[in-house]
Amino acid sequence: MSTQPYKFDSQAADIFTREVAARSGQNINSCYQCKRCAAGCPVAEDTGMVTPNRLIRMVVLGDIESALTNKLTWKCLFCHTCGTRCPNNIKTGRIADTLKKMALDAGIDPQQPEYKNFHRAFFHYSLRHGRINEIGMMGEFQLRNMWDHLKKGNYVAIVSEIMSKSTLAWKMFKQKRLHLSFHSSKGRDEISRLYKKSAGRKWI
Ligand code: SF4
Ligand code: SF4
């Protein structure tokens, strides 16, 4: 269990909660912290125990920094498990998605910069090809990570990144989970138009 206390900001709490509720379409104030959503979240163990109910807690307390930068906001799979379990029909995945967009709009980075790199690589690749090719997308993701390390002069991290990801790529290739072919979707122009219309250039 996380022992990290969230900060209460009485001035921010009401405005922030209303903003997140309006943008996500979720009735955040109806959450009574029963934690049913927490039990099924597949990434909760990898988020420093930021569970869906705790994400909501951050929002209603007005702890904007924690809400925008925590791991669940950036690692949420949008699987809707939390929403199907919630007695109040709160879809926390939509809240996480909203917070991620708010962070990007405000130029706020997640606790781990590679999360943002992953999203950027995913969207860049989707926009260009209309679908994901593992080699291309992961290659762009790794280049972005290495560029971050290079800017900090962290050459050890670059070597470590190359070693660990080469090992992972080889394992995936052996399991036939890494495809070397490059395909583009016929409707990629339409997908690109939809992305730009719904999210604007700030996503990419
Ligand atoms: S299941 Fe719903 S009401 Fe219960 S803690 Fe999660 S979001 Fe709140
Ligand atoms: S939608 Fe996100 S927050 Fe909800 S259970 Fe899935 S990963 Fe967890």
Side-chain angles (χ1 to χ4, degrees), residues 31-37 53 56 85-88 90 92:
C31 172
Y32 43 59
Q33 290 293 313
C34 68
K35 302 182 186 168
R36 287 184 64 179
C37 52
N53 62 298
I56 291 175
R85 294 184 176 209
C86 177
N88 294 318
I90 300 170
T92 313

Side-chain angles (χ1 to χ4, degrees), residues 101 105 123 193-204:
K101 285 179 189 163
D105 288 350
F123 276 97
R193 190 182 66 75
L194 286 170
Y195 272 152
K196 285 174 185 165
K197 189 172 180 184
S198 66
R201 300 296 297 180
K202 283 173 182 161
W203 272 96
I204 55 175

Side-chain angles (χ1 to χ4, degrees), residues 37 40-44 51-52 55 72 75-83 91-94 96:
C37 52
C41 178
V43 295
T51 46
L55 188 65
L72 181 59
K75 290 195 93 168
C76 170
L77 302 171
F78 214 64
C79 66
H80 283 317
T81 304
C82 50
K91 298 176 181 70
T92 313
R94 294 210 172 144

Side-chain angles (χ1 to χ4, degrees), residues 68-124:
L68 298 186
T69 63
N70 76 86
K71 290 182 179 176
L72 181 59
T73 290
W74 291 85
K75 290 195 93 168
C76 170
L77 302 171
F78 214 64
C79 66
H80 283 317
T81 304
C82 50
T84 59
R85 294 184 176 209
C86 177
N88 294 318
N89 200 28
I90 300 170
K91 298 176 181 70
T92 313
R94 294 210 172 144
I95 295 170
D97 204 40
T98 298
L99 293 168
K100 198 160 51 196
K101 285 179 189 163
M102 290 169 91
L104 287 164
D105 288 350
I108 293 171
D109 287 340
Q111 288 166 358
Q112 259 111 344
E114 59 264 34
Y115 296 167
K116 190 160 97 174
N117 290 340
F118 184 88
H119 283 279
R120 289 229 156 108
F122 184 92
F123 276 97
H124 259 159

